[in-house]
Amino acid sequence: MNTTYGRNLRTTVFGQSHSAAIGCTIEGLPAGEAVDLERLAAFMARRAPGGHLATQRKEPDAPEILCGLLEGVTCGAPLAAVIRNTNQRSQDYKAIADLPRPSHADLPAQVRYQGHQDVRGGGAFSGRLTAPLTLAGGIALQILERRGIRIAAHLLSVSEVEDRPLNPMGESAAELEKRLTRELPVLTDEAAEAMAQTIALARKAGDSVGATIECIVEGLPCGLGGPLFEGVDGRIAFGLFGIPGVKGVDFGAGFAAARMKGSENNDPWEVSTEAPGARPLTNNAGGIAGGITTGAPLLFRIAMKPTPSIALAQKTISLGKGADAELGVRGRHDPCIALRAVPVVEATAALAVLDVLLEPPAVMPEALTRLWGSEALRLGAMERLGECTKKNKD
């Protein structure tokens, strides 16, 4: 079971929904980076359970940093953190050991792990594992913010209710901050009210609803990434599909581009008046062309399925009897999992972007220079490395 994400910044998530704790280790964090633990806790609180539109499992999701920080600053060693599980009700899951839940991993996991998997709360397949992912991504977000890179997501739709889309050429900081003051993380008051009603009705009916989340990354320079399997979009998508419930990812115009003409979908170039070089006039590409950033905001969306754990009776099978059966899932579940997934998407994007920025570049764009230090410092370090290598050979 591989639970590690990233190449240069390697995040490993561990634990199960009903184990004593869940957590993560992060290797490759640059040394000397301050981590504001209060801000990190506030970011994680956006994902935490509770509230009338989410699961009633109440846990503070308070991270315990075990190592990797010295007086609030990264020291270059791997960072390890745990989050204690404090409000489990494992008895709610006794039935699913025999009655696999529809659209859950229960039956495939039974075959894959020969009955040894932890079925309580979904075990390693649970959305609970997005808490340490959010922890790791929250640290990455703080590092990126100091480099002028901002990441923000919102609920674009819940069932048939839609929020206004993000401006593909960028959003104001005030607008993005305002979405966090509403009951739901959306850009308009009307969407917040209508989505809340839709989620509440689904919960009352013992059902659930799906949703889409849209995310923007601003401040990335042109020239990051590469073709084929070096693509920034591919690396982000790989992480996003690790979030339980994600069923689709698209960038820029996405699937709508399949209905366009080239003259409609192409992003013309113009000479930039803000920085040396060129910039695209439009952003149907979502900030990426050939796997490489264009300098425009990186824009993507994910589709999340409805929560499969619903109270309504559904057909399943009894593993013990080898016969058809019926199951109504009991326990505490989100009627719309996307509501709490918005910060998880931001965190995953942050881990991917920081991972790309930590790639030793052939050309040093401005944002990479800020990350690695001054050009003189970088060249000095390379010179010292060369001297050390020569001495070792001698």
Short mmCIF file of all heavy atoms in Angstrom, two decimals, residues 144-152 168-171 176 216-224 274-275 283 287 293-299 353 357 365-368 370:
data_model
loop_
_atom_site.label_atom_id
_atom_site.label_comp_id
_atom_site.label_asym_id
_atom_site.label_seq_id
_atom_site.Cartn_x
_atom_site.Cartn_y
_atom_site.Cartn_z
N LEU A 144 4.76 28.70 0.21
CA LEU A 144 4.47 29.27 -1.10
C LEU A 144 4.01 30.72 -0.99
O LEU A 144 4.35 31.55 -1.84
CB LEU A 144 3.38 28.43 -1.80
CG LEU A 144 3.80 27.02 -2.22
CD1 LEU A 144 2.59 26.24 -2.72
CD2 LEU A 144 4.88 27.07 -3.29
N GLU A 145 3.23 31.01 0.02
CA GLU A 145 2.71 32.37 0.19
C GLU A 145 3.84 33.38 0.31
O GLU A 145 3.76 34.50 -0.22
CB GLU A 145 1.82 32.42 1.44
CG GLU A 145 1.09 33.73 1.62
CD GLU A 145 0.21 33.70 2.86
OE1 GLU A 145 -0.94 33.26 2.76
OE2 GLU A 145 0.70 34.11 3.94
N ARG A 146 4.92 32.99 0.99
CA ARG A 146 6.06 33.89 1.13
C ARG A 146 6.80 34.08 -0.19
O ARG A 146 7.63 34.98 -0.31
CB ARG A 146 7.01 33.35 2.21
CG ARG A 146 6.46 33.47 3.62
CD ARG A 146 7.55 33.24 4.66
NE ARG A 146 7.90 31.84 4.79
CZ ARG A 146 7.32 31.00 5.64
NH1 ARG A 146 6.34 31.42 6.44
NH2 ARG A 146 7.71 29.74 5.72
N ARG A 147 6.52 33.23 -1.16
CA ARG A 147 7.10 33.37 -2.51
C ARG A 147 6.13 34.04 -3.47
O ARG A 147 6.34 34.04 -4.68
CB ARG A 147 7.50 32.00 -3.07
CG ARG A 147 8.90 31.57 -2.65
CD ARG A 147 8.88 30.99 -1.29
NE ARG A 147 10.24 30.62 -0.85
CZ ARG A 147 10.51 30.29 0.40
NH1 ARG A 147 9.55 30.27 1.31
NH2 ARG A 147 11.74 29.99 0.76
N GLY A 148 5.04 34.58 -2.96
CA GLY A 148 4.08 35.27 -3.82
C GLY A 148 3.14 34.36 -4.56
O GLY A 148 2.52 34.77 -5.55
N ILE A 149 3.01 33.11 -4.10
CA ILE A 149 2.13 32.14 -4.75
C ILE A 149 0.92 31.90 -3.87
O ILE A 149 1.06 31.54 -2.69
CB ILE A 149 2.87 30.82 -5.04
CG1 ILE A 149 4.02 31.08 -6.03
CG2 ILE A 149 1.91 29.76 -5.60
CD1 ILE A 149 4.97 29.91 -6.18
N ARG A 150 -0.27 32.10 -4.42
CA ARG A 150 -1.51 31.99 -3.65
C ARG A 150 -2.39 30.89 -4.26
O ARG A 150 -2.53 30.79 -5.48
CB ARG A 150 -2.26 33.34 -3.69
CG ARG A 150 -3.57 33.36 -2.94
CD ARG A 150 -4.16 34.75 -2.95
NE ARG A 150 -4.40 35.26 -4.30
CZ ARG A 150 -4.77 36.49 -4.58
NH1 ARG A 150 -4.89 37.37 -3.62
NH2 ARG A 150 -4.99 36.86 -5.83
N ILE A 151 -2.99 30.09 -3.40
CA ILE A 151 -3.86 29.00 -3.84
C ILE A 151 -5.19 29.11 -3.12
O ILE A 151 -5.24 29.27 -1.90
CB ILE A 151 -3.22 27.62 -3.53
CG1 ILE A 151 -1.87 27.49 -4.26
CG2 ILE A 151 -4.15 26.48 -3.93
CD1 ILE A 151 -1.12 26.20 -3.96
N ALA A 152 -6.29 29.05 -3.87
CA ALA A 152 -7.61 29.17 -3.27
C ALA A 152 -8.62 28.35 -4.07
O ALA A 152 -8.56 28.30 -5.29
CB ALA A 152 -8.06 30.64 -3.25
N PRO A 168 -10.53 33.13 -14.86
CA PRO A 168 -9.33 32.37 -15.22
C PRO A 168 -8.06 33.21 -15.31
O PRO A 168 -6.96 32.67 -15.30
CB PRO A 168 -9.69 31.77 -16.59
CG PRO A 168 -10.79 32.61 -17.11
CD PRO A 168 -11.55 33.09 -15.92
N MET A 169 -8.21 34.53 -15.36
CA MET A 169 -7.05 35.41 -15.42
C MET A 169 -6.66 35.92 -14.03
O MET A 169 -5.72 36.69 -13.89
CB MET A 169 -7.31 36.59 -16.36
CG MET A 169 -7.61 36.19 -17.79
SD MET A 169 -6.35 35.09 -18.51
CE MET A 169 -4.96 36.21 -18.66
N GLY A 170 -7.39 35.47 -13.00
CA GLY A 170 -7.03 35.85 -11.64
C GLY A 170 -8.18 36.50 -10.88
O GLY A 170 -9.08 37.08 -11.49
N GLU A 171 -8.16 36.35 -9.56
CA GLU A 171 -9.17 36.92 -8.68
C GLU A 171 -8.50 37.86 -7.67
O GLU A 171 -7.33 37.67 -7.33
CB GLU A 171 -9.91 35.81 -7.92
CG GLU A 171 -10.88 35.01 -8.74
CD GLU A 171 -12.22 35.74 -8.95
OE1 GLU A 171 -12.43 36.78 -8.29
OE2 GLU A 171 -13.01 35.25 -9.75
N LEU A 176 -11.31 36.40 -2.71
CA LEU A 176 -10.94 35.07 -2.24
C LEU A 176 -11.03 34.97 -0.73
O LEU A 176 -11.38 33.93 -0.19
CB LEU A 176 -9.54 34.72 -2.73
CG LEU A 176 -9.38 34.57 -4.24
CD1 LEU A 176 -7.94 34.28 -4.61
CD2 LEU A 176 -10.29 33.48 -4.80
N ILE A 216 -7.67 27.75 -7.97
CA ILE A 216 -6.77 28.61 -8.74
C ILE A 216 -5.44 28.74 -8.02
O ILE A 216 -5.38 28.79 -6.79
CB ILE A 216 -7.41 30.00 -8.97
CG1 ILE A 216 -6.64 30.79 -10.04
CG2 ILE A 216 -7.52 30.80 -7.66
CD1 ILE A 216 -7.38 32.03 -10.53
N VAL A 217 -4.35 28.74 -8.79
CA VAL A 217 -3.00 28.96 -8.27
C VAL A 217 -2.44 30.18 -8.98
O VAL A 217 -2.24 30.16 -10.20
CB VAL A 217 -2.09 27.74 -8.51
CG1 VAL A 217 -0.71 27.98 -7.88
CG2 VAL A 217 -2.71 26.47 -7.97
N GLU A 218 -2.18 31.24 -8.24
CA GLU A 218 -1.69 32.49 -8.83
C GLU A 218 -0.26 32.75 -8.40
O GLU A 218 0.12 32.42 -7.27
CB GLU A 218 -2.58 33.65 -8.41
CG GLU A 218 -4.02 33.53 -8.88
CD GLU A 218 -4.85 34.75 -8.50
OE1 GLU A 218 -5.26 34.84 -7.33
OE2 GLU A 218 -5.10 35.59 -9.38
N GLY A 219 0.53 33.33 -9.29
CA GLY A 219 1.90 33.71 -8.96
C GLY A 219 2.96 32.79 -9.49
O GLY A 219 4.16 33.00 -9.26
N LEU A 220 2.57 31.75 -10.23
CA LEU A 220 3.57 30.83 -10.80
C LEU A 220 4.23 31.46 -12.01
O LEU A 220 3.56 32.05 -12.86
CB LEU A 220 2.92 29.52 -11.21
CG LEU A 220 2.46 28.58 -10.09
CD1 LEU A 220 1.78 27.35 -10.67
CD2 LEU A 220 3.65 28.15 -9.25
N PRO A 221 5.55 31.32 -12.15
CA PRO A 221 6.22 31.85 -13.33
C PRO A 221 6.01 30.95 -14.53
O PRO A 221 5.59 29.79 -14.39
CB PRO A 221 7.70 31.84 -12.91
CG PRO A 221 7.80 30.68 -11.97
CD PRO A 221 6.49 30.67 -11.22
N CYS A 222 6.31 31.45 -15.70
CA CYS A 222 6.30 30.63 -16.92
C CYS A 222 7.53 29.73 -16.92
O CYS A 222 8.61 30.14 -16.49
CB CYS A 222 6.31 31.55 -18.14
SG CYS A 222 6.28 30.69 -19.73
N GLY A 223 7.35 28.48 -17.36
CA GLY A 223 8.51 27.62 -17.57
C GLY A 223 8.70 26.48 -16.60
O GLY A 223 9.70 25.77 -16.68
N LEU A 224 7.76 26.24 -15.69
CA LEU A 224 7.88 25.12 -14.75
C LEU A 224 7.27 23.86 -15.35
O LEU A 224 6.26 23.92 -16.02
CB LEU A 224 7.17 25.44 -13.43
CG LEU A 224 7.66 26.64 -12.62
CD1 LEU A 224 6.76 26.84 -11.42
CD2 LEU A 224 9.10 26.46 -12.19
N GLU A 274 4.03 43.89 -17.64
CA GLU A 274 4.27 43.77 -16.19
C GLU A 274 5.61 43.12 -15.88
O GLU A 274 6.20 43.37 -14.84
CB GLU A 274 3.14 42.95 -15.56
CG GLU A 274 1.77 43.58 -15.75
CD GLU A 274 0.66 42.66 -15.28
OE1 GLU A 274 0.97 41.57 -14.76
OE2 GLU A 274 -0.52 43.05 -15.41
N ALA A 275 6.07 42.25 -16.76
CA ALA A 275 7.34 41.54 -16.55
C ALA A 275 7.94 41.21 -17.91
O ALA A 275 7.23 41.19 -18.92
CB ALA A 275 7.09 40.27 -15.74
N ASN A 283 -7.07 32.25 -21.06
CA ASN A 283 -6.51 31.15 -20.27
C ASN A 283 -7.34 29.88 -20.38
O ASN A 283 -7.65 29.24 -19.38
CB ASN A 283 -6.37 31.58 -18.80
CG ASN A 283 -5.48 30.63 -18.00
OD1 ASN A 283 -4.70 29.86 -18.56
ND2 ASN A 283 -5.61 30.67 -16.69
N GLY A 287 -3.44 27.67 -17.57
CA GLY A 287 -2.11 28.00 -17.09
C GLY A 287 -1.03 26.99 -17.42
O GLY A 287 0.10 27.11 -16.95
N THR A 293 4.08 25.48 -17.21
CA THR A 293 3.30 26.65 -16.83
C THR A 293 3.52 27.77 -17.83
O THR A 293 4.61 27.98 -18.35
CB THR A 293 3.70 27.14 -15.43
OG1 THR A 293 5.12 27.37 -15.37
CG2 THR A 293 3.30 26.13 -14.37
N THR A 294 2.43 28.52 -18.10
CA THR A 294 2.46 29.60 -19.10
C THR A 294 2.64 30.98 -18.48
O THR A 294 2.83 31.95 -19.20
CB THR A 294 1.15 29.61 -19.90
OG1 THR A 294 0.06 29.96 -19.02
CG2 THR A 294 0.88 28.27 -20.56
N GLY A 295 2.55 31.07 -17.17
CA GLY A 295 2.59 32.37 -16.51
C GLY A 295 1.21 32.88 -16.16
O GLY A 295 1.07 33.79 -15.34
N ALA A 296 0.18 32.31 -16.77
CA ALA A 296 -1.20 32.63 -16.40
C ALA A 296 -1.58 31.82 -15.16
O ALA A 296 -0.92 30.83 -14.83
CB ALA A 296 -2.15 32.29 -17.55
N PRO A 297 -2.63 32.21 -14.44
CA PRO A 297 -3.04 31.42 -13.28
C PRO A 297 -3.33 29.97 -13.66
O PRO A 297 -3.87 29.69 -14.73
CB PRO A 297 -4.32 32.13 -12.81
CG PRO A 297 -4.16 33.54 -13.27
CD PRO A 297 -3.44 33.44 -14.59
N LEU A 298 -2.94 29.06 -12.80
CA LEU A 298 -3.23 27.64 -12.99
C LEU A 298 -4.64 27.40 -12.46
O LEU A 298 -4.93 27.73 -11.31
CB LEU A 298 -2.21 26.80 -12.22
CG LEU A 298 -2.06 25.34 -12.59
CD1 LEU A 298 -0.68 24.84 -12.18
CD2 LEU A 298 -3.12 24.50 -11.92
N LEU A 299 -5.53 26.86 -13.30
CA LEU A 299 -6.94 26.71 -12.93
C LEU A 299 -7.39 25.28 -13.22
O LEU A 299 -7.17 24.76 -14.31
CB LEU A 299 -7.80 27.69 -13.74
CG LEU A 299 -9.29 27.76 -13.37
CD1 LEU A 299 -9.49 28.47 -12.05
CD2 LEU A 299 -10.07 28.47 -14.47
N VAL A 353 2.73 21.88 -6.16
CA VAL A 353 3.43 23.08 -6.66
C VAL A 353 4.78 23.23 -5.98
O VAL A 353 5.80 23.51 -6.64
CB VAL A 353 2.55 24.33 -6.44
CG1 VAL A 353 3.36 25.61 -6.67
CG2 VAL A 353 1.35 24.31 -7.36
N LEU A 357 8.53 23.26 -7.62
CA LEU A 357 9.46 24.36 -7.40
C LEU A 357 10.80 23.89 -6.82
O LEU A 357 11.83 24.53 -7.03
CB LEU A 357 8.84 25.40 -6.45
CG LEU A 357 7.76 26.30 -7.03
CD1 LEU A 357 7.14 27.14 -5.94
CD2 LEU A 357 8.34 27.20 -8.12
N PRO A 365 13.93 30.59 -13.03
CA PRO A 365 12.96 31.68 -13.04
C PRO A 365 12.97 32.41 -11.70
O PRO A 365 13.49 31.91 -10.71
CB PRO A 365 11.61 30.96 -13.27
CG PRO A 365 11.98 29.63 -13.82
CD PRO A 365 13.29 29.29 -13.23
N GLU A 366 12.34 33.57 -11.67
CA GLU A 366 12.37 34.43 -10.49
C GLU A 366 11.85 33.72 -9.25
O GLU A 366 12.45 33.79 -8.17
CB GLU A 366 11.53 35.69 -10.75
CG GLU A 366 11.56 36.66 -9.58
CD GLU A 366 10.63 37.84 -9.80
OE1 GLU A 366 10.05 37.94 -10.90
OE2 GLU A 366 10.47 38.63 -8.87
N ALA A 367 10.70 33.01 -9.38
CA ALA A 367 10.13 32.35 -8.21
C ALA A 367 11.06 31.28 -7.66
O ALA A 367 11.14 31.05 -6.46
CB ALA A 367 8.77 31.74 -8.54
N LEU A 368 11.81 30.61 -8.56
CA LEU A 368 12.74 29.58 -8.11
C LEU A 368 13.95 30.20 -7.44
O LEU A 368 14.47 29.68 -6.46
CB LEU A 368 13.18 28.73 -9.31
CG LEU A 368 12.09 27.95 -10.02
CD1 LEU A 368 12.69 27.15 -11.16
CD2 LEU A 368 11.37 27.04 -9.06
N ARG A 370 13.85 32.86 -5.69
CA ARG A 370 13.38 33.22 -4.35
C ARG A 370 13.36 32.00 -3.45
O ARG A 370 13.61 32.09 -2.25
CB ARG A 370 11.98 33.84 -4.42
CG ARG A 370 11.93 35.19 -5.11
CD ARG A 370 10.66 35.95 -4.74
NE ARG A 370 9.46 35.22 -5.10
CZ ARG A 370 8.83 35.35 -6.26
NH1 ARG A 370 9.32 36.16 -7.17
NH2 ARG A 370 7.73 34.66 -6.51
#
